[in-house]
Amino acid sequence: MEELLSGFKVADGDEIAPWVRLVAHLRPRRASRPDEAAEKLRALTHLLSRRPDLVEPMHAALLRLFRERKQVSLYVSSGLLPSTGFFSETARRIADRLLPNVIDTAYMKDVLAVVFHRSDDELWVNALSDELWLDFLQALLATPDSPPASSGERELPPVMDELIEALRVLSFHVSAIGLDPELVRVDPDLEEYESPFLAQNAELLAYLDQYRDHWRRIAPDPADDKHLRVMLDQCDEVLQRVRRRATKLGTSLTLTFKLERLRQHLERIAELLRLLDTLREQEDIRGALPRVIPLFKALVHAECRRNRLSDYWGQNVELLSLRMTESASKTGERYITSTRGEYFGMMGSAALGGVIIACMAALKLVLSRQGMAPLNEALAFCLNYGLGFVLIHMVGGTVATKQPAMTANAIAASIGEARGKSRNLEDLADLITRTVRSQIAAILGNVGVAIPLAICLGLLIQSATGTPFVDTEKARHLLHDADPRSGALFFAAVAGVCLFLSGLIAGYYDNLSAYNRIPERLRQLRRPRRLLGEARMDRIARYVENNLGALAGNFFFGFLLGGATALGVLFGLPLDIRHIAFSSAYVGYAVAGSEFALPLQMVGIALLGVLLIGVVNLTVSFALTLNVAMRARHITFAQRRTLGRLLLKRLLTRPQDFLLPPRSQGRPADSAEATAADPLGPQPPKG
């Protein structure tokens, strides 16, 4: 250890090399095991506390490092999104991973990147407690600097001068972002009234001048930051207001990027201001160390992950997905029933969907016999699925498996409101209970109609044509496709992923409609207004406003289902889809085509497979959507075990609640409880 520290005594040579060797000594063999680094840091701190002769050269080396290196770029760019834009920054990170930038150690930012050069260094640096780092820095800075002059003007320390300059740059950045046309489009008040983003710049510059004069003892009174704090609070309020308006008016990658960049800059300004205030009060860096350590950890984290594409995408895509999942959660409210009237309305809507699904399944069987080229056949299957799902939505039907991708977002929004409170967890358990029984109603409506209708259609076609709609061999093949031992459950999981993606697509197009103001632009079309009339054109615009996302989601869902099979054929992969509604219809056609002569065991296994396919469809799509919705809201639900116990208790004591809503006239208390507990309110079912 002493040999390691003796490197700081060398006056000539590379001044950064001793710090590189010191961090290499502290670095654990595995970044996930910070205990090794903690033990070494304790030993180093203990050695410095006993050996002042080792502290002095190390202290001097640290001071030279900060005096001779430029620090502004470290504070204004590390950990903050750049101004280049989403796609430009993505390209830069990819290029830097392939061919890293030249390191210039004249800048403290690059010095930090050289010292903590491994991408996992930030794990153990941040894992070490603030107390450990504080003890080490206090031992390192135990040697006093030259005392300041007792009277007269004094110079501003280089570190403080760099902090002040960094605050000036950050303030100008905030002003530029706050006046961006994207923000002004969402919040026109920024043009009509004095912008707080310009006001904060004027206040910050005045405050920094007063701070500098007071430190140099030119001005007797300390700088007053009250007006500056008010302006920064107003900037944050505008930021939150723009976010709220964007949930109604729509957002984009550009707007999401700039809002996140603005938030980061405001937080960095607040952090550096707190550090300056502490330095003024303590008049010594030692007193400000508790403020320095969190900033040090954040900067190391940023430099170690500066080229991580996954982190960068995660920051932006999660914010964009929040807008998409907010749209889907509003749609999900329609799929959660509270009363028996809504419950049976959902079942009737699903029954209508089952009728159309039985016809779609029949059309797919007909298309498969036409001997089309593979690409044409895949396109025909996609159009059959897509247009069929769109038709179901337009006539007010429901597809059971479309529900999880929507209801999961509503449940995630409710989890975000729960905050671990027992009453809110009860409300959440009630919401999940009603979601389960609504899903069961939709499945019963789809499957309960699709199977008998498929049997009837098969028998009618056979009666009209004299030949079975499905021959015996095809019937056995259809039943084998539903057999859970034939890979059907894996293919059901593929369909679940398609359901999840269709939910995101629906949210994306709802956001696109709001952001691009599609309904308003439709109302401005002159020729359609003359042909259709003002009232009819207004109804069309309102329908597009309320249904564009659902229509796009259903249409693309059909292409995802048909495209998965085509992809398997194209690449020679065992890739297919299994959907509960279509599988049940195929079982019905197989039974009718075999004239009820198939073995009961084969039919029973196929029906069991249909049930399991439905479970996998729902579980996969619900889990994926709930995960994205919770990550977009930054929700960590630590009360999942408590919620699980509440649901289990309700299942054991009142299992009927998971199957059928209580009678409102016979159970007034339950009805009132359901109304109060529902944060969404009862909504009519809609496909």
Side-chain angles (χ1 to χ4, degrees), residues 299-319:
L299 294 175
V300 171
H301 173 86
E303 284 306 308
C304 289
R305 306 178 76 92
R306 66 188 181 280
N307 290 329
R308 286 280 185 92
L309 198 59
S310 58
D311 289 357
Y312 180 67
W313 278 22
Q315 282 180 322
N316 292 274
V317 174
E318 282 183 11
L319 289 169

Side-chain angles (χ1 to χ4, degrees), residues 418-647:
R419 306 287 183 188
K421 298 177 182 178
S422 58
R423 174 58 188 167
N424 287 343
L425 286 178
E426 288 282 355
D427 297 344
L428 180 58
D430 183 77
L431 177 64
I432 293 175
T433 301
R434 290 184 289 112
T435 302
V436 169
R437 70 179 177 229
S438 302
Q439 184 65 72
I440 291 175
I443 290 176
L444 291 176
N446 276 173
V447 176
V449 170
I451 291 179
L453 183 60
I455 293 174
C456 292
L457 285 176
L459 294 176
L460 285 174
I461 292 172
Q462 181 175 354
S463 176
T465 61
T467 57
F469 181 59
V470 174
D471 58 32
T472 304
E473 182 180 352
K474 182 64 174 178
R476 289 181 177 274
H477 178 72
L478 292 175
L479 292 179
H480 180 266
D481 285 345
D483 192 328
R485 299 168 297 182
S486 66
L489 300 186
F490 172 76
F491 299 144
V494 175
V497 175
C498 295
L499 285 161
F500 157 70
L501 294 175
S502 70
L504 288 183
I505 290 171
Y508 170 79
Y509 274 92
D510 275 333
N511 172 73
L512 188 69
S513 173
Y515 181 77
N516 291 323
R517 306 183 71 178
I518 300 297
E520 291 84 350
R521 292 162 76 173
L522 285 174
R523 292 186 179 99
Q524 292 178 355
L525 295 176
R526 297 179 181 178
R527 186 170 298 177
R529 281 211 320 265
R530 288 198 300 266
L531 292 176
L532 302 175
E534 292 283 350
R536 189 170 297 168
M537 195 64 194
D538 188 63
R539 287 198 300 272
I540 292 174
R542 283 202 306 272
Y543 184 83
V544 170
E545 181 179 9
N546 296 325
N547 296 276
L548 179 63
L551 292 172
N554 280 292
F555 184 73
F556 282 104
F557 176 51
F559 270 74
L560 288 171
L561 291 182
T565 306
L567 201 63
V569 173
L570 183 63
F571 289 100
L573 299 174
L575 192 61
D576 205 345
I577 57 99
R578 295 289 184 271
H579 188 275
I580 179 174
F582 286 95
S583 296
S584 61
Y586 292 144
V587 169
Y589 286 121
V591 170
S594 64
E595 298 181 351
F596 304 93
L598 290 172
L600 290 179
Q601 182 181 4
M602 180 181 291
V603 176
I605 292 176
L607 291 174
L608 175 63
V610 168
L611 177 63
L612 294 177
I613 286 170
V615 170
V616 174
N617 286 161
L618 302 177
T619 302
V620 171
S621 60
F622 183 85
L624 291 173
T625 309
L626 184 63
N627 178 59
V628 169
M630 291 182 68
R631 286 185 62 188
R633 292 172 172 85
H634 298 284
I635 297 171
T636 55
F637 191 51
Q639 293 79 24
R640 57 175 62 90
R641 290 187 178 180
T642 305
L643 178 62
R645 285 195 294 269
L646 288 174
L647 291 172

Side-chain angles (χ1 to χ4, degrees), residues 174-250:
V174 167
S175 299
I177 302 170
L179 296 179
D180 190 272
E182 280 285 305
L183 272 71
V184 175
R185 184 192 67 84
V186 178
D187 190 2
D189 293 344
L190 293 174
E191 281 186 323
E192 298 179 10
Y193 305 102
E194 183 181 5
S195 171
F197 300 107
L198 290 179
Q200 65 80 27
N201 180 253
E203 290 290 342
L204 182 68
L205 295 181
Y207 169 77
L208 293 178
D209 288 339
Q210 294 173 14
Y211 186 97
R212 191 191 301 268
D213 291 344
H214 175 70
W215 180 273
R216 299 173 62 187
R217 296 180 178 171
I218 297 175
D221 298 326
D224 184 6
D225 64 347
K226 292 181 181 178
H227 294 292
L228 174 59
R229 300 288 181 184
V230 170
M231 289 298 103
L232 291 175
D233 289 341
Q234 288 185 9
C235 290
D236 188 66
E237 289 174 4
V238 171
L239 172 63
Q240 300 306 323
R241 186 170 72 232
V242 171
R243 284 191 187 278
R244 288 193 298 270
R245 290 188 177 183
T247 61
K248 298 178 181 179
L249 303 177

Side-chain angles (χ1 to χ4, degrees), residues 4-19:
L4 181 68
L5 297 182
S6 63
F8 291 100
K9 297 181 180 180
V10 180
D12 300 327
D14 188 358
E15 293 187 351
I16 301 174
W19 298 104

Side-chain angles (χ1 to χ4, degrees), residues 219-288:
D221 298 326
D224 184 6
D225 64 347
K226 292 181 181 178
H227 294 292
L228 174 59
R229 300 288 181 184
V230 170
M231 289 298 103
L232 291 175
D233 289 341
Q234 288 185 9
C235 290
D236 188 66
E237 289 174 4
V238 171
L239 172 63
Q240 300 306 323
R241 186 170 72 232
V242 171
R243 284 191 187 278
R244 288 193 298 270
R245 290 188 177 183
T247 61
K248 298 178 181 179
L249 303 177
T251 188
S252 65
L253 272 176
T254 302
L255 178 60
T256 302
F257 182 89
K258 290 177 179 176
L259 289 177
E260 179 63 10
R261 185 165 179 258
L262 179 60
R263 181 193 66 78
Q264 291 178 349
H265 277 68
L266 290 174
E267 288 184 354
R268 182 61 58 83
I269 287 176
E271 193 171 10
L272 295 184
L273 282 175
R274 288 193 295 268
L275 180 56
L276 273 185
D277 289 344
T278 307
L279 286 170
R280 180 186 61 191
E281 294 169 1
Q282 303 293 332
E283 294 196 355
D284 195 325
I285 188 63
R286 300 174 190 84

